[in-house]
Amino acid sequence: MHDIIGDIHGHADELVELLQKLGYEEHSEVFQHPSRQVIFCGDFIDRGPQIRDTINIVRRMCQAGSARAVMGNHELNALAFHTPHPVTPGRHLRSHSEKNIHQHHATLRQLDDADMHQALDWFRSLPVTIDTGELRVVHACWDEVDLTTLGMATEKFGYMTPEFLFEATESGNPVFTAIERTMKGPEMRLPEGCYMVDKEGTRRPSARIRWFESADGHNCASYSIPALCDSTLAEVPVPLTIRPAPYASTNPPVFVGHYWLPDKTPAPLAANIACVDYSVAKDGLLTAYRHHGETTLRADNFVTVPSRN
């Protein structure tokens, strides 16, 4: 049986509290449960005050077999940020722009060179997906087409090698498109003059979509994830240019993080879809889903602890 835990972003105290609430006990610096295993949804770094502690807790659990983890977009960003560009000397695969440095600042400040080197080595080992047969975990979007593209790139370039990362950071490259959708979720362009404000306070002309279901019956506000409270967008049909990844109701449950949901009472997004990111880094909740093998997910199986921000 598994406990799926969402984005932590350096909030180690909340992670310890949540693990203890789930019945995990620390033995020889490793949190363990007699009959259960954690699966982490990625995004361990950036923003929070205890990034080193978070990495140590999660990595030790993974090494001991009491947990598994997938990569989040922040781990992918870190790998690209610290990988020199193979064509342009002095640059990196993720540019050291003011915006990108600001996003990565807490990690740069809290980890010394040795810590960073070890963290990046561990990030390279994290898979994009986990499929146990009973459940699936991915950071943002489970799309078989995108996952096939990433699998082919891995066979050609090796997994998360500099060559793979170069392909994954070149806009317009199929590998870039696949990794963006997998790690960040598909998006739709909002009408001219409309925007959403993201967690950083930045106005964005696009919104992430409910990729797992058809847009039929939705408008731009309701098809966004999280849903947008905008009366104007509620009158605008979903663009025909979107490419969702409808997820069959007969498929195993899939768990995602990433979406910074604002609700104070977690609930499944669909019968077999659950997000476990409820914004711990923005005064929200660190969230787990306690899975008992059920194919229809239940709201009362979520377990949370409040942010200590």
Side-chain angles (χ1 to χ4, degrees):
M1 299 293 110
H2 295 92
D3 299 306
I4 303 91
I5 294 180
D7 305 28
I8 305 164
H9 285 300
H11 287 74
D13 285 345
E14 290 90 331
L15 175 58
V16 169
E17 182 181 355
L18 180 60
L19 288 169
Q20 291 173 339
K21 191 171 183 178
L22 292 167
Y24 289 75
E25 296 181 352
E26 189 175 15
H27 302 284
S28 302
E29 298 187 319
V30 177
F31 284 91
Q32 303 173 54
H33 191 283
S35 60
R36 302 184 67 84
Q37 183 187 53
V38 169
I39 301 180
F40 292 102
C41 286
D43 276 8
F44 309 110
I45 62 170
D46 298 338
R47 301 196 173 96
Q50 301 163 308
I51 291 169
R52 179 186 290 106
D53 290 344
T54 298
I55 291 172
N56 286 339
I57 291 168
V58 176
R59 182 170 53 197
R60 287 169 184 158
M61 290 181 69
C62 290
Q63 291 170 343
S66 62
R68 301 170 70 183
V70 298
M71 181 183 295
N73 63 299
H74 282 257
E75 287 73 53
L76 178 68
N77 287 347
L79 289 173
F81 187 94
H82 295 278
T83 300
H85 197 286
V87 177
T88 310
R91 288 185 54 206
H92 291 76
L93 292 179
R94 181 170 173 82
S95 72
H96 289 192
S97 65
E98 182 178 348
K99 174 179 177 292
N100 291 343
I101 291 172
H102 174 73
Q103 186 182 75
H104 197 38
H105 173 71
T107 304
L108 293 170
R109 179 170 53 83
Q110 294 176 43
L111 301 187
D112 61 25
D113 289 345
D115 289 332
M116 185 69 75
H117 180 76
Q118 292 175 2
L120 294 172
D121 278 349
W122 179 56
F123 296 164
R124 289 187 192 95
S125 74
L126 298 176
V128 171
T129 65
I130 289 174
D131 187 342
T132 71
E134 282 192 336
L135 61 85
R136 294 168 171 175
V137 178
V138 66
H139 189 62
C141 172
W142 190 284
D143 184 337
E144 296 290 353
V145 174
D146 293 327
L147 297 182
T148 297
T149 298
L150 296 179
M152 293 171 62
T154 296
E155 289 181 8
K156 184 174 182 179
F157 302 109
Y159 183 66
M160 294 298 158
T161 61
E163 295 77 14
F164 180 102
L165 290 168
F166 176 74
E167 299 287 315
T169 52
E170 286 292 293
S171 181
N173 189 302
V175 182
F176 171 85
T177 301
I179 201 76
E180 284 281 299
R181 284 169 54 86
T182 301
M183 293 291 190
K184 299 179 182 179
E187 297 189 350
M188 64 179 170
R189 187 82 178 180
L190 297 176
E192 188 70 29
C194 294
Y195 60 87
M196 64 163 291
V197 179
D198 68 14
K199 56 190 173 294
E200 310 276 351
T202 302
R203 292 186 176 187
R204 290 167 45 90
S206 298
R208 297 178 181 123
I209 63 172
R210 295 175 65 86
W211 53 267
F212 45 85
E213 64 188 24
S214 166
D216 292 348
H218 280 287
N219 53 61
C220 277
S222 66
Y223 200 51
S224 299
I225 177 170
L228 301 177
C229 297
D230 187 312
S231 58
T232 300
L233 291 177
E235 301 297 325
V236 178
V238 175
L240 298 177
T241 53
I242 61 162
R243 180 163 75 86
Y247 194 78
S249 61
T250 53
N251 284 343
V254 62
F255 295 88
V256 299
H258 187 61
Y259 290 100
W260 286 72
L261 298 184
D263 311 79
K264 297 303 181 184
T265 304
L269 298 175
N272 60 344
I273 308 283
C275 177
V276 284
D277 179 11
Y278 281 81
S279 310
V280 68
K282 196 178 179 182
D283 300 320
L285 306 168
L286 184 61
T287 303
Y289 184 92
R290 174 145 276 193
H291 190 250
H292 302 283
E294 68 274 10
T295 56
T296 300
L297 302 178
R298 299 165 49 94
D300 56 5
N301 283 351
F302 286 91
V303 180
T304 67
V305 298
S307 171
R308 301 184 184 183
N309 279 355

